[in-house]
Amino acid sequence: MILILTIIFCLLLSSCTSIEMNLKRDGSGTLDLKIAKVYKDKDGIEQTYSREEVDEVVKDIINAAEVDSGMEDRVKLKRIKEYDDYYSVKLSFMRIQYLSQSSTGGDLGIYTYKDSQDFIQEYDSISLLQDYWLYGSYKSLIKLVTNTKYSFKNARFGDENAKITPKYLDGTELNSEEITDFFSDNGPLSKNKKGKIFTFFIVDIEGLESITFNFSGNIKVYASKNVENVTKSSITVLPVSQQATLTVVDKDPEIKNVNCFVGFVYFDLAPNYLLIGILSTLGAILLTLMIIGIIKGSFKRFFKSKKFRVIIKNYDLYLMLLPSMVFLFLFAYLPMGGVILAFKNYKIYDGIWGSEWASQGGLKNFIDLFTSPTSNFGKIVANTFILAFWKFIFGFLIAIVLAVLFSYLKEGLFKKSVQTISYFPYFISWVVISTISYVILATDGGTINKILIFFHHEPINFYASPKYWRFILTFTAMWKTAGYSTIVYLAAISGIDQSLYEAAKIDGANRIGQLFHVTIPGLLPVLGIQIVFSLGNLVKDDFDQIYTMVRGSALLRDTTDTIGMIVYENISNAAAYSSTAAMGMLQGLVALILVVVSNHILKKHDIQGAY
């Protein structure tokens, strides 16, 4: 991480003298850079850096990191202090291993920061060390911002002057047999579970005299051409000059000597004292509470209480309940831990817990949803809400009206037949319904267009006209679910005391009067529960319906792009997992708020809620 910051500054400041990088456990860290106020340029003429120029350089560094990594906020400015002879700049950076988008590098160089076990399994990583650096060969590197390619003449044949040999901490060089064993599948790299490998390859940073790397662990082996100082947890590296061909678009190639910082460090990661401290504190608190409970007799009172006796008496029932509780925990509550994806920059090879936290306090994915012009979050939410709202309104109205009409029918074959027919669409899959809809809506030979042509109207291309699809999706949803939805209302109507209808008739109420004064008040408890549950779905969409009905038409996205569709489209795109997780989390939070608020409002008006 520190390397990142270092390289950027070096590219832009010829007055840099030294850089100190502090790498944390995960590869993130800080960079301390000193920029001399007065320095000599290539012609030996003294130049002076102003504070405004330093500020501009810092901006350029941060922009370069954004280009190289493809991500904003990977490098942040912490402070700039001015002293008599120099400026002190401190930057923080996220994981250095993600600085460059490709193995060809970037303006800040090529870096690796991995567990030694993972490192030994990756051919490209081992090849960099064994096929290049150990034999004095340097790979080509491309700087993305300047679009410059550095091709080294020794790229294949090696150069004794550039060759680096791994050494132990005491400076003893590894012999050829030890080197072979070191990089073997059964060597110390693959066996050491605490081991970390950090590699760096920094090219053409003028004015940089040294880089110091500080690690969160103990160095075991290091390798670099010019090493000035090595301690238990830090190493200072000097540049080595190598001849390279610089190729820039629309320019003639230029051959010149460039300064390179190249090498690797193998170290044992130090224990995570923060985690150890947290776990120790929690353990101490738990032990303290247990001791207090024993002293005060809390456990004794519990074992003598009625609740405990009830549990013992009905132990068989609790054992029967246990599988359901385990199932609920495994498949409902445990997966909720995945919500953490919304606060991380998810990398599939790091896993959910190993991925780095997102910037801006972990809220970058949420902020991007509202601020990024490419997210279309507003349109997606609007489509989801409008479709759900239409289904909510018409679903209630149609279901209640049908239930009331069914209740007016006399018991018999006709009533049973009508109810069965109304339930039947619910059991038809959306795949079948989408096929039926296509037969009706198709431009060439569709039922509706045949009718339009018969009355001398132009046919409508429904599958290229997004304006019709909110109605189509709402109508098909109502046709499919309206009959089945009447079951709960019919059950509520049948539970209404019939003497209330008799009393209403005596008071002169007709069918309409009985509906408003007896039936609807009797439905209120059920209506309350259904309203609470339905309001929770106002930010959800019926993915099965939209996916099958729209048939993948990109022309309909203006009105059919919903949260469910976006989540589905990004299933195969691991880079979008964090943003879609953030979208799903917001959806769930809004649904929870709607459920809680609607339930509270209903109870305030003496209507039975869901809880």
Side-chain angles (χ1 to χ4, degrees):
M1 311 301 294
I2 299 174
L3 292 177
I4 261 187
L5 303 172
T6 308
I7 293 177
I8 301 177
F9 276 102
C10 294
L11 291 171
L12 301 168
L13 296 177
S14 60
S15 61
C16 293
T17 57
S18 64
I19 293 175
E20 182 174 355
M21 304 184 210
N22 303 291
L23 287 164
K24 297 180 182 178
R25 296 176 59 86
D26 61 350
S28 62
T30 58
L31 170 69
D32 291 310
L33 175 66
K34 288 183 179 179
I35 304 173
K37 286 186 175 180
V38 180
Y39 68 98
K40 290 184 178 181
D41 60 17
K42 294 179 181 180
D43 299 323
I45 302 174
E46 284 193 352
Q47 303 288 343
T48 302
Y49 263 113
S50 66
R51 174 58 188 270
E52 290 74 18
E53 289 174 317
V54 173
D55 290 339
E56 191 64 32
V57 166
V58 172
K59 290 180 182 179
D60 291 340
I61 291 173
I62 294 174
N63 290 337
E66 179 181 337
V67 172
D68 290 341
S69 65
M71 175 184 162
E72 297 179 4
D73 301 326
R74 183 157 290 280
V75 177
K76 288 186 177 181
L77 174 65
K78 304 295 288 185
R79 60 160 173 78
I80 299 178
K81 286 188 177 181
E82 183 177 353
Y83 295 92
D84 291 339
D85 299 326
Y86 64 91
Y87 297 97
S88 175
V89 181
K90 185 171 184 178
L91 298 169
S92 65
F93 52 87
M94 299 173 70
R95 296 182 185 178
I96 196 168
Q97 56 267 40
Y98 300 134
L99 175 63
S100 177
Q101 296 186 81
S102 67
S103 60
T104 57
D107 292 65
L108 307 182
I110 301 177
Y111 307 93
T112 298
Y113 186 89
K114 297 178 181 176
D115 292 335
S116 57
Q117 293 173 309
D118 296 335
F119 185 86
I120 200 70
Q121 299 299 324
E122 296 187 14
Y123 173 78
D124 289 341
S125 298
I126 291 297
S127 175
L128 181 66
L129 274 60
Q130 287 187 309
D131 298 342
Y132 287 88
W133 296 353
L134 295 180
Y135 297 98
S137 301
Y138 294 169
K139 292 182 68 174
S140 296
L141 179 142
I142 298 175
K143 294 192 174 183
L144 305 178
V145 174
T146 59
N147 198 21
T148 304
K149 181 177 181 180
Y150 290 76
S151 302
F152 293 90
K153 285 194 172 183
N154 61 355
R156 293 305 305 166
F157 304 105
D159 179 358
E160 190 65 28
N161 182 54
K163 180 179 176 181
I164 63 174
T165 303
K167 300 178 182 179
Y168 293 110
L169 182 61
D170 60 5
T172 305
E173 293 186 356
L174 277 70
N175 57 44
S176 58
E177 185 177 338
E178 289 175 317
I179 292 175
T180 301
D181 178 65
F182 188 72
F183 294 110
S184 68
D185 292 337
N186 295 318
L189 279 183
S190 62
K191 290 182 178 179
N192 190 355
K193 295 182 179 179
K194 296 181 180 179
K196 286 279 188 179
I197 280 277
F198 174 67
T199 69
F200 54 95
F201 182 32
I202 307 165
V203 175
D204 197 16
I205 301 177
E206 295 182 0
L208 181 61
E209 297 178 359
S210 67
I211 302 177
T212 298
F213 302 101
N214 298 319
F215 302 98
S216 300
N218 299 323
I219 295 175
K220 298 297 182 183
V221 175
Y222 67 91
S224 184
K225 179 57 185 175
N226 291 337
V227 178
E228 184 179 58
N229 184 46
V230 180
T231 66
K232 189 176 181 181
S233 59
S234 68
I235 179 174
T236 300
V237 183
L238 306 179
V240 57
S241 179
Q242 287 294 301
Q243 193 175 74
T245 301
L246 279 64
T247 306
V248 185
V249 177
D250 298 330
K251 291 184 180 180
D252 293 331
E254 175 188 359
I255 298 176
K256 75 170 189 175
N257 287 331
V258 297
N259 286 335
C260 304
F261 293 82
V262 58
F264 73 88
V265 178
Y266 166 57
F267 64 97
D268 279 349
L269 198 62
N272 191 340
Y273 295 108
L274 177 61
L275 180 60
I276 293 173
I278 293 174
L279 293 177
S280 299
T281 303
L282 292 175
I285 293 173
L286 180 60
L287 181 61
T288 303
L289 291 175
M290 291 177 65
I291 294 173
I292 293 174
I294 293 172
I295 294 173
K296 290 189 174 183
S298 301
F299 295 105
K300 187 176 181 180
R301 287 194 299 272
F302 172 73
F303 289 124
K304 289 184 177 181
S305 65
K306 291 183 179 180
K307 289 183 179 179
F308 184 73
R309 288 198 296 270
V310 169
I311 294 174
I312 295 299
K313 183 178 179 181
N314 300 287
Y315 74 93
D316 51 344
L317 299 178
Y318 283 96
L319 287 176
M320 291 175 63
L321 181 63
L322 184 61
S324 299
M325 294 178 64
V326 171
F327 183 88
L328 185 66
F329 174 76
L330 291 178
F331 295 99
Y333 287 97
L334 193 61
M336 288 183 182
V339 170
I340 198 173
L341 274 178
F343 303 94
K344 290 198 167 191
N345 294 322
Y346 178 69
K347 306 286 184 182
I348 194 167
Y349 32 81
D350 285 338
I352 295 176
W353 305 107
S355 297
E356 61 185 344
W357 294 98
S359 57
Q360 297 174 315
L363 300 176
K364 185 177 187 299
N365 295 313
F366 296 93
I367 294 172
D368 285 349
L369 289 178
F370 296 99
T371 59
S372 175
T374 59
S375 68
N376 293 321
F377 186 63
K379 183 184 75 173
I380 293 168
V381 171
N383 289 339
T384 304
F385 177 80
I386 291 172
L387 286 172
F389 183 75
W390 283 21
K391 293 176 184 179
F392 168 73
I393 296 297
F394 292 108
F396 263 108
L397 291 175
I398 294 174
I400 292 173
V401 170
L402 275 178
V404 171
L405 293 176
F406 287 159
S407 69
Y408 287 157
L409 294 176
K410 294 182 179 180
E411 293 293 337
L413 180 62
F414 179 73
K415 181 178 181 178
K416 292 179 180 179
S417 301
V418 171
Q419 286 184 260
T420 302
I421 292 171
S422 68
Y423 299 159
F424 182 72
Y426 182 81
F427 300 98
I428 302 175
S429 73
W430 279 114
V431 176
V432 175
I433 294 175
S434 69
T435 304
I436 297 172
S437 300
Y438 184 76
V439 172
I440 297 173
L441 301 173
T443 306
D444 185 13
T447 305
I448 293 179
N449 281 312
K450 283 184 177 180
I451 296 173
L452 290 175
I453 292 171
F454 179 80
F455 287 103
H456 306 291
H457 288 283
E458 289 292 325
I460 300 173
N461 187 354
F462 288 100
Y463 289 92
S465 305
K467 63 182 180 180
Y468 299 108
W469 278 87
R470 284 175 180 161
F471 170 78
I472 293 171
L473 293 173
T474 303
F475 178 81
T476 52
M478 295 304 96
W479 176 78
K480 187 178 190 296
T481 61
Y484 190 80
S485 300
T486 62
I487 293 176
V488 64
Y489 299 115
L490 280 172
I493 291 173
S494 63
I496 298 175
D497 190 347
Q498 294 300 310
S499 62
L500 296 176
Y501 287 102
E502 297 297 331
K505 289 179 182 179
I506 292 172
D507 289 338
N510 54 18
R511 287 291 182 97
I512 301 298
Q514 295 173 37
L515 172 65
F516 285 101
H517 296 287
V518 180
T519 304
I520 292 181
L523 286 173
L524 285 181
V526 175
L527 277 173
I529 296 173
Q530 292 295 102
I531 287 173
V532 170
F533 290 153
S534 297
L535 283 175
N537 290 326
L538 277 183
V539 289
K540 293 182 66 178
D541 56 89
D542 194 333
F543 167 76
D544 293 346
Q545 179 199 21
I546 298 173
Y547 180 74
T548 54
M549 291 283 293
V550 172
R551 307 174 76 88
S553 175
L555 299 174
L556 306 179
R557 301 194 68 148
D558 282 346
T559 55
T560 60
D561 251 0
T562 58
I563 294 176
M565 289 294 293
I566 297 300
V567 171
Y568 173 78
E569 288 175 359
N570 287 311
I571 286 177
S572 59
N573 182 12
Y577 280 10
S578 293
S579 59
T580 51
M583 191 181 298
M585 184 177 178
L586 282 178
Q587 184 183 25
L589 285 175
V590 173
L592 176 63
I593 292 171
L594 288 173
V595 167
V596 172
V597 171
S598 60
N599 189 76
H600 179 73
I601 293 174
L602 289 173
K603 293 180 76 172
K604 279 286 187 180
H605 290 81
D606 296 325
I607 300 174
Q608 182 177 338
Y611 58 91

